[in-house]
Amino acid sequence: MAKRNRLLVLCVVLFVAFAFGCGGPEEKKLKFFNKGKELYEKGQYTEAKLEFKNAIQIDTKYADAYYMLGMVEMRSGNPRGAYGAYSKAVELDPKHLKAHLEIGRLYLGARMVDKAQEEAALILKEDPKNEEGLLLQSAVYLAKQDPGRARGILEGLIGQGATNPDVFLMLSVVSRQTGDDKGEGDAIRRGIQANPKSVNLLMALADHHVRHKRLGEATEAVKKAIELEPGNVRFRVALATLYWGSGRQAEATEVLTAVTAADPKKEEAWIEVAGFYLQRQKIDDAERELKAGIQQNDKSVKIRFALGELYANTGRVDQAVALLKECLGIAKDAASPEAIQAKNALAKIALARQDLAEAKKYA
């Protein structure tokens, strides 16, 4: 009898272990969702999108997955897709405040102020102390030319102990739009005091100094931002811009050289440095940087697009066409965004040449 009981217990243990090992739909969808969030935080948006879609396939009513899919679409430069995903999230969960917040921001960006107001009101009805909702409401008031009420909300948040850098940045914008130069600077400095490691506030301070011809102070602010985020290419290009504007061109060039040398495989670095030279009509320097970038990243479609655009804008259309055709060869998927972008560019060039058959082929 004892032997039989031991066998029964063993069977139960094995069954439980097997059940947990296989994992049910709930466990699987969470696994996909959590993996997607991890990839999203790393900036791997294409991979993250796939994980969130996998989670949705398991549970078509998974509002959080739709919300994160919207976040991915925004980071990928597709606000229309983001709006669709956020809308689905609030359809499934009408009280999904984060999705309502993002929809409100999209409305505000599209200057649909009344729609943004509706989203802010909905958020604050559910959670009157919601900091992001109050920030959205403040932005709505600013868009409605009511800076007094916008400032009141922001000062109220700060008085309650809010340290969110966006609160201080918004307050600086309110001051700037009302012509309160001192108030703008004070808002940014208060923000930095509360958030010494906020690179956004430091760059806002740099911009404030530049507009008032205080290039030395602006340079110091940018240097502090670089100390906090050494790998941020745009901060280093901003430093080069300040050096160049101060007549220190050799130092600017040295900074730019260091940008691409730090990580030759970073496509953004080559494109940003080339853009710096293009803004100053240094066409040869920009071309040199992009060619060097392609040598370091022989499969880079992005750098080829940038070089192709340079060729097209400087009358070297045949060279631009050759590069775009290279992009088509590199993009394995004919329906990928890179391939479609190349086809569109080739169609436009053909149309400009009045070669309608060629344009039609690519379009």
Side-chain angles (χ1 to χ4, degrees), residues 210-232:
V210 167
R211 283 186 281 106
H212 293 85
K213 314 295 183 186
R214 298 189 292 263
L215 299 188
E217 291 92 331
T219 300
E220 291 306 310
V222 173
K223 283 181 176 179
K224 287 180 182 177
I226 292 172
E227 286 176 10
L228 292 168
E229 290 188 11
N232 192 307

Side-chain angles (χ1 to χ4, degrees), residues 56-222:
I56 289 168
Q57 280 187 333
I58 295 172
D59 181 358
T60 57
K61 295 183 178 181
Y62 198 176
D64 284 344
Y66 277 106
Y67 165 74
M68 286 306 304
L69 192 58
M71 297 296 283
V72 166
E73 294 289 9
M74 279 300 295
R75 296 298 184 277
S76 303
N78 182 17
R80 185 183 295 274
Y83 177 80
Y86 295 142
S87 297
K88 186 65 177 179
V90 298
E91 176 189 324
L92 294 168
D93 179 5
K95 293 187 178 181
H96 200 299
L97 300 189
K98 289 183 178 180
H100 280 294
L101 176 68
E102 297 302 331
I103 290 172
R105 287 171 172 168
L106 283 170
Y107 281 142
L108 196 60
R111 299 186 181 181
M112 299 170 69
V113 181
D114 289 338
K115 287 284 190 181
Q117 170 64 58
E118 290 175 12
E119 297 298 324
L122 187 150
I123 294 167
L124 295 174
K125 181 179 179 181
E126 290 295 324
D127 180 7
K129 294 185 178 180
N130 187 293
E131 191 170 295
E132 296 292 342
L134 288 166
L135 265 173
L136 177 61
Q137 181 67 76
S138 175
V140 166
Y141 283 139
L142 191 59
K144 288 185 171 185
Q145 305 298 314
D146 191 349
R149 295 178 77 176
R151 183 187 296 276
I153 289 175
L154 298 168
E155 290 290 3
L157 283 168
I158 295 170
Q160 293 169 15
T163 58
N164 185 340
D166 289 343
V167 175
F168 296 94
L169 286 168
M170 180 68 75
L171 185 58
S172 73
V173 171
V174 171
S175 298
R176 182 175 175 179
Q177 289 198 4
T178 55
D180 182 3
D181 179 67
K182 184 177 181 302
E184 179 191 359
D186 287 345
I188 296 170
R189 292 185 186 90
R190 288 164 68 189
I192 292 173
Q193 187 175 4
N195 304 272
K197 295 185 178 181
S198 170
V199 292
N200 289 337
L201 283 165
L202 286 167
M203 294 305 289
L205 182 62
D207 177 67
H208 179 70
H209 285 314
V210 167
R211 283 186 281 106
H212 293 85
K213 314 295 183 186
R214 298 189 292 263
L215 299 188
E217 291 92 331
T219 300
E220 291 306 310
V222 173

